[in-house]
Amino acid sequence: MSATLFSLAFGVGTQNRQGDWLEVFYAQPLLKPAGELVAAVAPLLGYAGGNQAITITTSQAAQLADALKPLDATQYALLTRLAESQRPLVATLLAEDAPLSSTPEAYLKLHLLSHRLAKPHGLNLTGIFPLLPNVAWTNQGAVDLSELAERQLEARLKGDLLEVFSVDKFPKMTDYVVPAGVRIADTARVRLGAYVGEGTTVMHEGFINFNAGTQGPGMIEGRVSAGVFVGKGSDLGGGCSTMGTLSGGGNIVISVGEGCLIGANAGIGIPLGDRNTVESGLYITAGTKVSLLDENDQLVKVVKARELAGQGDLLFRRNSQTGAVECKTHKSAIELNEALHAHN
């Protein structure tokens, strides 16, 4: 067996009464752990290769802690704490970044994103939705929906209240990790699996989905959908919609370059280069017909928006008289047109 792994993490989680995993918390996930660390833990876990989520006991956690004490102080401290757990424990080992096969694997990859160990669209998340159970997220943690009514009754009989915050496949990120240097006004609007770069501020109406995020610093006042990665110094206006899609191996990534401004109630379906501006209320899809204007506001050419994807220093606006979508650039439209021809 190779001593090389793509990822390794020790976690504590929640199972339903049938022993199915509902969620897993990984305090210190590792990306490409050291070979000697893998060699130390593999025999204790009975690991023989591949991608596996192995349920472990507190006694095994203590043995793992002893084995890693001379190799990794952080993992040693974590396993020492896990050895005292009264909740289910799991060791998840990923030999490769392959399609997902278990709930603990899915949670590990979501953690890698939110711990900034991997960037949006940088991990294979194929098969994630069937592996994330739809659960009730409560003040007592994750609860299986089939067990919720009984748990609510049990709480009431004890004079307590089981408060349900949401019913969803994804928990909020801040219940698992709070990245350094961020501000999040409403934590329920950032899902686990979001990549929130240092210096990012997410305002009350901002939203960041899993497998999406910001390089930071920047201001998020609108929606950052799955597959979207926003560059430094960008401002997504309130109510804007940056529409990326996630469909396994056929992922579409919508990147937003540095210093962009997407106005309120605006949206994009194409990647933006640096220092782009999209006028408030304007939605641009890949097939939107865009009129290229020169420095004198004269029409040079009509193109589809996808032909402008990734170009820098563009202003997208709608003509208030004709309704046409127009694009101006700090360069002349003729230079841009030549660049488009060269690209094609």
Side-chain angles (χ1 to χ4, degrees):
M1 183 203 73
S2 171
T4 300
L5 287 180
F6 175 75
S7 184
L8 168 66
F10 304 101
V12 54
T14 305
Q15 295 175 321
N16 64 14
R17 290 170 181 171
Q18 284 70 49
D20 300 321
W21 288 101
L22 301 181
E23 57 83 41
V24 182
F25 171 66
Y26 298 104
Q28 299 288 341
L30 296 172
L31 186 66
K32 298 181 179 178
E36 60 268 22
L37 190 150
V38 177
V41 303
L44 296 176
L45 295 171
Y47 173 72
N51 290 1
Q52 293 189 41
I54 303 171
T55 301
I56 62 175
T57 64
T58 53
S59 296
Q60 285 177 298
Q63 292 174 348
L64 290 164
D66 290 339
L68 296 186
K69 185 175 182 179
L71 301 175
D72 190 315
T74 300
Q75 296 298 316
Y76 162 72
L78 170 62
L79 284 160
T80 300
R81 298 295 303 276
L82 293 181
E84 303 169 353
S85 175
Q86 298 180 7
R87 306 293 296 172
L89 302 177
V90 63
T92 302
L93 305 91
L94 302 182
E96 58 181 339
D97 183 22
L100 298 164
S101 60
S102 69
T103 298
E105 287 181 30
Y107 267 85
L108 174 51
K109 288 194 175 181
L110 293 177
H111 276 74
L112 292 176
L113 286 161
S114 290
H115 276 273
R116 300 177 185 157
L117 296 175
K119 291 185 177 180
H121 199 60
L123 297 175
N124 189 336
L125 299 180
T126 302
I128 191 171
F129 287 104
L131 294 172
L132 294 179
N134 195 29
V135 302
W137 300 100
T138 78
N139 59 327
Q140 295 181 20
V143 177
D144 190 296
L145 291 179
S146 66
E147 302 170 3
L148 179 61
E150 184 178 350
R151 290 281 298 272
Q152 289 174 316
L153 177 59
E154 289 175 355
R156 293 281 183 169
L157 293 175
K158 296 176 182 178
D160 297 327
L161 173 65
L162 182 65
E163 184 175 0
V164 179
F165 302 122
S166 68
V167 178
D168 197 2
K169 287 178 173 290
F170 292 84
K172 59 184 180 180
M173 181 189 72
T174 53
D175 283 348
Y176 293 80
V177 55
V178 179
V182 304
R183 294 169 53 202
I184 303 174
D186 184 349
T187 57
R189 298 183 67 83
V190 181
R191 277 175 154 181
L192 180 64
Y195 182 110
V196 187
E198 187 167 0
T200 297
T201 295
V202 184
M203 299 300 290
H204 292 82
E205 295 303 316
F207 173 84
I208 305 180
N209 208 345
F210 83 103
N211 201 32
T214 66
Q215 188 174 351
M219 177 79 71
I220 304 300
E221 298 177 275
R223 180 182 179 86
V224 183
S225 299
V228 178
F229 193 49
V230 181
K232 295 180 179 179
S234 294
D235 187 349
L236 273 66
C240 77
S241 178
T242 49
M243 299 303 293
T245 62
L246 178 66
S247 54
N251 293 356
I252 299 173
V253 179
I254 305 295
S255 60
V256 179
E258 297 185 9
C260 290
L261 172 62
I262 302 177
N265 299 307
I268 58 170
I270 62 170
L272 296 182
D274 296 338
R275 299 173 300 278
N276 277 208
T277 299
V278 180
E279 183 182 70
S280 296
L282 177 61
Y283 188 90
I284 303 171
T285 67
T288 299
K289 292 184 178 180
V290 180
S291 298
L292 294 179
L293 306 180
D294 63 18
E295 62 271 19
N296 297 316
D297 288 340
Q298 297 301 305
L299 177 65
V300 175
K301 185 181 180 181
V302 177
V303 300
K304 290 186 176 180
R306 66 169 60 92
E307 298 182 58
L308 302 172
Q311 299 287 336
D313 300 296
L314 301 181
L315 165 64
F316 293 92
R317 69 188 188 188
R318 187 178 295 279
N319 188 299
S320 60
Q321 294 181 324
T322 67
V325 178
E326 299 175 340
C327 177
K328 294 194 67 175
T329 175
H330 296 313
K331 303 175 182 179
S332 70
I334 294 176
E335 291 175 342
L336 178 59
N337 190 30
E338 291 174 349
L340 288 173
H341 278 301
H343 178 71
N344 293 334

